[in-house]
Amino acid sequence: MQFIDFAPVKVVFGPGKLDALRTEALPGARALLLTSNGSAMERIGALPRVCEMLDARGITYVHMPVVEPNPLVATVMAVGEKIREEKCDFLIALGGGSVMDCAKAAGIVATNPGHLWDYVQSGTGGRKPIAIDPLPLVAITTTAGTGSEVDAGGVITNPETREKVGLGGHVNCFPKLAIVDPELMLSVPPHLTAYQGFDALFHAVEGYLNKRPNFMSDMYALESVRHLGKWLPIAVKDGNNLEAREHVAFANTLSGFVMTTTRLTSQHAMEHALSSFHQELPHGAGLIMLSMAYFGHMIAVGAQSERFVALARAMGDTEAVQPSDFLHALQKMLAECGMAELKMSDWGITREELPAMTEVCRSAGAHAFEQDAVALTFQDTLAIYEASFR
């Protein structure tokens, strides 16, 4: 029964709700408007709409279209420096999880001295406390995958140390306002819809299977899985289906709340090593490639057996009676979304890298390994990588 439910984010959810930016209270008068280094925000019309609404309200802003997939520490530092130079007093993150994560981290270095890595609490991080409140953030999510619009964490990659780690946790790392408008997600391509949707799914699944679940996190997790199990394959096949986009977006936000009430497991740490070694690898794709071997191992060692049955039922197998039914449900969902044949080698990953990835993930992601219901050894971890490799 023990849990802390503290997610102080005002969430404005629904089709057309981007227009809420016209009237919702904002935490400052001069914004750093952060987007990805691609053209998607212009293409879907979100960027000009946001700029028009800010102009109409007299909110000045500086636009930085600089965030890469799996955002880099150097990018965070550049954004933090720009915030100080331009004397911005809040951030607006317009985009997916990478943009929101970068914004949270930049909000830390904008107000706290030193380097971002000084405030990382794992791996080679300096483990300093965040002594000064980070800059406040407004999150406008245009994807359904990370739940970053409602949590206080961000994931940043340091290519020098080959680490991809979570950081944040300060109360002001929670966005002040989150706008979740499924209409902004209609043009996300099928493969990205799937990558993002499975990221959300595994947030919920890991939160349900860790060694410290609670009634509150269970409520969020199972409901997220139910919505994704039914609606993600539909959204992948028909991106213009607004009803499906609504359900997937809602499930993603629920999976964000999972991370505010419990913890993720080592599957996420293992994927972070994959995409820290190979920057171009989408996080969700990495999770997909690990998932069958990872959860197969957990089932084989008897971890949370009854919960695997409950997850299989939530995914649509109402007749599930044994833990392996989860694997069948997962394989079916992967196939329905066109994700059953992903190969690590297609992203340049080699079998020879797997021992080094094992070392990195167990160091940088030690906190996630501590959440596993049955602990993984070094050899277990390497064996899961090897079983996943194609």
Side-chain angles (χ1 to χ4, degrees):
M1 282 292 290
Q2 296 184 23
F3 63 89
I4 296 174
D5 185 14
F6 181 72
V9 184
K10 182 173 184 178
V11 180
V12 181
F13 184 101
K17 289 299 185 181
L18 179 59
D19 282 343
L21 192 61
R22 296 187 185 280
T23 55
E24 288 293 331
L26 298 178
R30 181 166 173 78
L32 190 292
L33 173 58
L34 192 64
T35 62
S36 74
N37 58 8
S39 60
M41 294 305 98
E42 291 91 341
R43 178 171 46 79
I44 67 174
L47 181 60
R49 287 175 65 191
V50 167
C51 292
E52 183 273 322
M53 286 185 274
L54 294 175
D55 290 338
R57 296 185 63 167
I59 302 292
T60 60
Y61 55 90
V62 177
H63 179 214
M64 289 190 73
V66 297
V67 183
E68 56 277 288
N70 299 312
L72 300 175
V73 65
T75 304
V76 172
M77 295 303 296
V79 176
E81 179 63 26
K82 190 71 170 179
I83 290 169
R84 290 190 293 271
E85 288 177 359
E86 297 289 344
K87 297 181 170 55
C88 299
D89 56 5
F90 76 110
L91 281 144
I92 299 174
L94 174 63
S98 292
V99 175
M100 291 183 281
D101 285 3
C102 184
K104 291 174 187 176
I108 293 170
V109 297
T111 60
N112 288 270
H115 193 275
L116 177 66
W117 224 247
D118 296 338
Y119 301 96
V120 169
Q121 302 299 311
S122 61
T124 62
R127 293 173 170 76
K128 289 184 179 179
I130 300 170
I132 305 171
D133 287 352
L135 219 61
L137 170 64
V138 172
I140 305 171
T141 182
T142 60
T143 65
T146 68
S148 289
E149 68 272 16
V150 294
D151 72 23
V155 180
I156 305 298
T157 298
N158 185 338
E160 292 184 6
T161 62
R162 303 185 107 176
E163 292 173 300
K164 181 178 175 182
V165 299
L167 73 161
H170 189 284
V171 61
N172 270 26
C173 289
F174 283 103
K176 302 299 184 184
L177 171 68
I179 297 176
V180 185
D181 184 343
E183 288 183 353
L184 301 179
M185 305 169 190
L186 291 173
S187 65
V188 178
H191 68 289
L192 295 180
T193 299
Y195 295 162
Q196 295 155 9
F198 276 100
D199 186 14
L201 178 76
F202 294 133
H203 288 160
V205 167
E206 292 178 47
Y208 191 70
L209 294 173
N210 71 32
K211 68 182 182 183
R212 295 189 186 93
N214 57 72
F215 289 149
M216 184 66 77
S217 62
D218 284 355
M219 176 184 70
Y220 290 132
L222 285 176
E223 194 65 14
S224 177
V225 171
R226 288 188 187 100
H227 284 265
L228 288 165
K230 178 177 179 179
W231 292 99
L232 180 59
I234 298 172
V236 171
K237 291 172 185 174
D238 180 9
N240 289 316
N241 186 320
L242 184 56
E243 184 179 14
R245 293 290 190 183
E246 264 190 297
H247 283 276
V248 173
F250 178 61
N252 172 61
T253 297
L254 290 180
S255 73
F257 286 126
V258 170
M259 293 185 286
T260 70
T261 50
T262 188
R263 296 290 182 267
L264 302 185
T265 67
S266 59
Q267 186 199 16
H268 258 72
M270 292 182 67
E271 195 296 314
H272 287 165
L274 291 179
S275 49
S276 68
F277 276 59
H278 293 271
Q279 173 73 16
E280 68 282 2
L281 174 65
H283 175 53
L287 289 169
I288 288 168
M289 291 187 291
L290 291 169
S291 61
M292 291 298 293
Y294 179 84
F295 293 113
H297 173 88
M298 289 301 181
I299 288 170
V301 298
Q304 301 285 35
S305 295
E306 292 182 1
R307 287 179 167 255
F308 275 108
V309 176
L311 286 168
R313 291 177 179 172
M315 293 171 72
D317 182 1
T318 57
E319 304 300 318
V321 294
Q322 54 192 8
S324 60
D325 290 332
F326 169 81
L327 295 178
H328 299 314
L330 177 57
Q331 185 65 44
K332 178 175 180 285
M333 189 173 171
L334 289 169
E336 289 175 339
C337 294
M339 293 289 113
E341 302 302 324
L342 295 186
K343 296 179 181 178
M344 289 186 185
S345 55
D346 288 343
W347 275 275
I349 298 168
T350 66
R351 191 179 293 275
E352 290 71 26
E353 293 175 302
L354 300 181
M357 289 179 177
T358 304
E359 292 277 6
V360 169
C361 78
R362 293 183 64 86
S363 171
H367 59 288
F369 280 86
E370 292 170 359
Q371 307 307 317
D372 291 336
V374 174
L376 292 179
T377 66
F378 182 96
Q379 288 304 321
D380 292 334
T381 310
L382 179 58
I384 291 169
Y385 275 135
E386 290 176 337
S388 303
F389 184 83
R390 286 192 292 175

